[in-house]
Amino acid sequence: MTAPADLTPLAEAVECEFMHSYESQAPGPTYTDLGIATTRIGGGVALAMRNDPSGGYWNKALGFGTTEPFTVQTLDRVLDFYREQGVDQAVLQLVPSVLPAGFDEVAAARGLEPGSTWVKLAARPGDVAATQTRLRVAPVPAAEARRWADVLLTGFGMPTGGLTDMLAATVGQPAWRPYAAWDGGELVAGGNLFLHGEAASLNAAATATGHRGLGAQSALIAARARAAAEAGCRWLFAETGKPAPDQQNPSLNNMRRAGLVPLYERRNWVWRAAS
């Protein structure tokens, strides 16, 4: 993969925007019931879900340091937002290169702790490998939007219900390209694609228990890469957790086999409200 000097701003921007889109465009009743609030701060976004049924995944802030410096003042504004929203816990996803000097001490003083590490990957859409599976892979029709959303949520260990409404709302939206895999007439796997200018982002991929090992995710990566190319995107990005030295992350393995190349690693900083 021949890449420009630094794809970080593009990679962070597309993730920032797809997360903002998921939450800010949730249907009205769902938006209210989940207690969603979003704001843009310092070139990034802070997303709050006061009644997050997943246990906190949807409370996160990201996208900082690419269009303007990430400062201690920006950090304080983000944390003030979460306090104002009555959120008990949030994750700040910060690229190491944007952190101000002495950040470990700054973070500790504000109750932030280093958490898991994610890997950011990239490829040109046309370089993603084609793959074969006996499953049928195609865009998600509106009639199966909720089934598709439920498969994704169950695969991630998240409850269905309000989150189903939020994910299903992306089906048919101009910036989104949801895809699924079917075994006969049964929808058994899915993944989403978000388009943002010259960048596209693979996200929200999962396969139902009992249908893993059939190549669904590799086929879904390839299908979404084709959709990104057809939309005129020059770069395809994704992110997933970095496994421990003695463990494997199947999602990371699938992406690398498909031709996505690791760009950098990013720490999740966990903030918890003072009790």
Side-chain angles (χ1 to χ4, degrees):
M1 179 182 73
T2 303
D6 188 8
L7 284 171
T8 302
L10 202 57
E12 290 295 303
V14 68
E15 184 186 2
C16 173
E17 293 304 325
F18 86 66
M19 284 299 304
H20 184 267
S21 178
Y22 269 131
E23 298 194 40
S24 66
Q25 297 184 31
T30 301
Y31 190 97
T32 301
D33 291 345
L34 292 177
I36 294 174
T38 68
T39 189
R40 294 184 181 273
I41 299 173
V45 298
L47 312 170
M49 186 180 287
R50 190 170 56 256
N51 304 318
D52 182 356
S54 75
Y57 175 84
W58 298 96
N59 291 305
K60 60 174 57 180
L62 66 161
F64 301 101
T66 58
T67 59
E68 58 184 86
F70 179 70
T71 65
V72 175
Q73 291 74 24
T74 301
L75 172 62
D76 287 338
R77 290 173 62 195
V78 171
L79 299 183
D80 284 345
F81 167 75
Y82 285 116
R83 294 186 187 98
E84 291 163 3
Q85 296 305 319
V87 168
D88 294 331
Q89 179 177 315
V91 170
L92 281 69
Q93 300 180 313
L94 303 173
V95 179
S97 61
V98 311
L99 299 180
F103 183 75
D104 286 358
E105 292 75 14
V106 168
R110 287 157 175 78
L112 275 79
E113 299 177 353
S116 61
T117 298
W118 282 16
V119 181
K120 180 73 76 171
L121 303 100
R124 292 193 182 276
D127 292 341
V128 172
T131 186
Q132 298 295 321
T133 176
R134 67 172 177 81
L135 304 174
R136 178 175 66 89
V137 175
V140 178
E144 293 203 67
R146 293 185 64 82
R147 165 64 183 169
W148 168 81
D150 283 347
V151 167
L152 298 185
L153 291 165
T154 301
F156 281 109
M158 296 185 186
T160 58
L163 294 178
T164 300
D165 298 332
M166 186 180 79
L167 266 64
T170 65
V171 176
Q173 293 299 315
W176 289 98
R177 298 290 188 276
Y179 273 75
W182 286 262
D183 188 359
E186 182 184 6
L187 193 158
V188 298
N192 219 340
L193 177 76
F194 183 75
L195 309 175
H196 182 63
E198 65 177 344
S201 175
L202 301 169
N203 61 88
T207 302
T209 303
H211 287 84
R212 293 168 185 165
L214 299 177
Q217 288 306 323
S218 294
L220 285 164
I221 290 171
R224 288 178 289 164
R226 288 194 298 271
E230 290 166 2
C233 297
R234 296 179 59 242
W235 291 102
L236 183 67
F237 297 102
E239 54 282 327
T240 189
K242 179 183 179 181
D246 58 343
Q247 296 181 353
Q248 295 287 321
N249 178 347
S251 294
L252 180 59
N253 295 340
N254 286 336
M255 292 175 191
R256 297 193 70 164
R257 276 196 300 268
L260 280 85
V261 177
L263 289 180
Y264 55 87
E265 297 179 358
R266 185 184 66 197
R267 174 76 73 184
N268 289 326
W269 290 85
V270 182
W271 172 82
R272 295 178 178 87
S275 57

